[in-house]
Each structure stands twice: as C-alpha cells, then as structure tokens.
C-alpha cells in the first residue's frame, strides 16, 4: 500500500489529506492550533478520528504520544545514544519497539520491527513536488499507525532542527 503526503503543508494548525496511490483521499491530518502542546488528529475520509497525536508535556526529551480511542498506543522519542542523529524509537504499549532511522528531514527513512521492514518513507518514487510517499511493506501492518509514526518523527526532527538554529 502506498500513500502520498503533500510535504509543504506539514505544520501545527494545518490540515492536509493523505491520498492512496490512486489519488483517493484516505486520511486527513488535522493540526490543532492554539494548544499548549503540538497536537494532531488522524481522521478517516468520513471524518472519524482514528488516532490522536500530541506532544508529551513533561518529558526530558521531545516526546510524542499516539493514542487510539483515548488509550495510549505508542510513545516516540529520539534514541539517546544513537550515532545517527535521526534515529527514533517507537515504544508500543504492548512492549514492542519499532525503530525509525534514515534521513528524516529529507523524507528518506524506514520503520522497522526487529530488523524487519514495515514501511519506507521516500520522495524518490515521486515526481510531484513537495510530496513524499509512505509505502507500507507488510500487508498485516496498521497503515494509520505507521502514517502517524511518520508524521511524528518528521515533526520531531523539524522541531529539533528549528531549536538548533
């Protein structure tokens, strides 16, 4: 499954559609402005909230939390002792960890579980300007969760870059 995200619209308070490879609107990322913390909702095409994404308020490092139906699903933060600057760990509530690594700000990275590829995020396949693809490799993977992870790590990496400037 491949999804297309229009990169230039990423930001708090911005809403943007994620389309499937046939151009159908599948998910809406609804950025919530005027909040104390960075907040997004991932909605389906009918407007139902599938996933809530927000910044954890009191954390030593920037951390994003993903929730489904009010229940915690995952926590995302940059790996502490990583030689790679852009290497993130996604800790799922069931104790499972996903690894996200690559050139996050270039939108060229992968999401893996225990060395197995789950999704590839890339601009390489696309000719449309300011767009990147989220290619879900495994059929049994949760597309909404993997898209939420991609949105989170890109947001965290952009925030980290802006803080360093």
């Amino acid at each position: 499954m491949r999804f297309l995200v229009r990169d230039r619209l990423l930001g708090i308070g911005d809403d943007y559609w994620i389309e499937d490879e046939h151009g159908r609107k599948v998910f809406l990322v609804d950025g919530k402005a005027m909040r104390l913390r960075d907040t997004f909702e991932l909605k389906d095409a009918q407007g139902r909230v599938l996933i809530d994404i927000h910044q954890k308020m009191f954390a030593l490092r920037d951390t994003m939390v993903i929730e489904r139906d009010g229940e915690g699903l995952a926590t995302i933060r940059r790996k502490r002792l990583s030689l790679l600057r852009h290497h993130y760990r996604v800790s799922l509530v069931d104790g499972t960890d996903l690894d996200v690594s690559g050139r996050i700000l270039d939108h060229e990275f992968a999401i893996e579980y225990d060395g197995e590829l789950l999704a590839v995020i890339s601009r390489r396949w696309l000719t449309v300007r300011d767009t990147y693809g989220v290619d879900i490799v495994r059929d049994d993977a949760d597309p909404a969760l993997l898209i939420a992870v991609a949105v989170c790590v890109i947001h965290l990496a952009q925030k980290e870059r802006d803080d360093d400037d």
Side-chain angles (χ1 to χ4, degrees):
M1 292 177 280
R2 183 171 291 166
F3 299 92
L4 305 176
V5 182
R6 305 245 183 259
D7 179 39
R8 63 186 167 76
L9 299 177
L10 281 177
I12 300 300
D14 288 334
D15 299 345
Y16 55 94
W17 283 98
I18 297 173
E19 301 172 350
D20 67 11
E21 57 197 79
H22 305 290
R24 290 185 299 252
K25 293 177 179 177
V26 180
F27 299 110
L28 174 68
V29 178
D30 185 359
K32 301 296 183 182
M34 307 301 288
R35 304 266 175 112
L36 291 175
R37 59 186 179 184
D38 298 344
T39 304
F40 304 94
E41 289 178 341
L42 185 66
K43 298 179 178 180
D44 66 13
Q46 290 72 40
R48 293 181 298 252
V49 176
L50 302 174
I51 291 183
D52 289 301
I53 305 165
H54 61 269
Q55 181 181 6
K56 191 170 184 180
M57 288 298 287
F58 302 105
L60 295 176
R61 293 178 285 153
D62 282 339
T63 303
M64 299 293 286
V65 176
I66 297 174
E67 296 177 346
R68 180 178 279 147
D69 298 324
E71 300 290 324
L73 188 58
T75 303
I76 301 172
R77 64 178 57 93
R78 190 169 58 86
K79 270 189 151 179
R80 241 185 242 170
L81 300 174
S82 174
L83 296 175
L84 300 172
R85 180 172 169 93
H86 293 137
H87 194 139
Y88 291 82
R89 170 166 285 134
V90 180
S91 300
L92 301 174
V93 293
D94 68 1
T96 304
D97 285 334
L98 306 180
D99 287 313
V100 181
S101 62
R103 297 186 328 268
I104 308 293
L105 292 173
D106 293 333
H107 301 82
E108 299 290 339
F109 59 97
I111 302 171
E112 297 180 338
Y113 165 68
D114 201 24
E116 184 179 348
L117 188 63
L118 298 178
V120 175
I121 291 72
S122 180
R123 288 187 177 172
R124 278 179 278 167
W125 321 304
L126 304 170
T127 57
V128 179
R129 190 169 166 242
D130 297 325
T131 301
Y132 64 91
V134 178
D135 194 15
I136 310 296
V137 177
R138 286 189 45 162
D139 291 334
D140 62 343
D142 180 348
L145 174 61
L146 294 176
I147 288 170
V149 167
V151 168
C152 286
V153 296
I154 290 168
H155 178 74
L156 286 169
Q158 287 174 338
K159 188 172 181 178
E160 182 180 322
R161 182 195 61 200
D162 293 346
D163 289 347
D164 288 346
D165 289 343

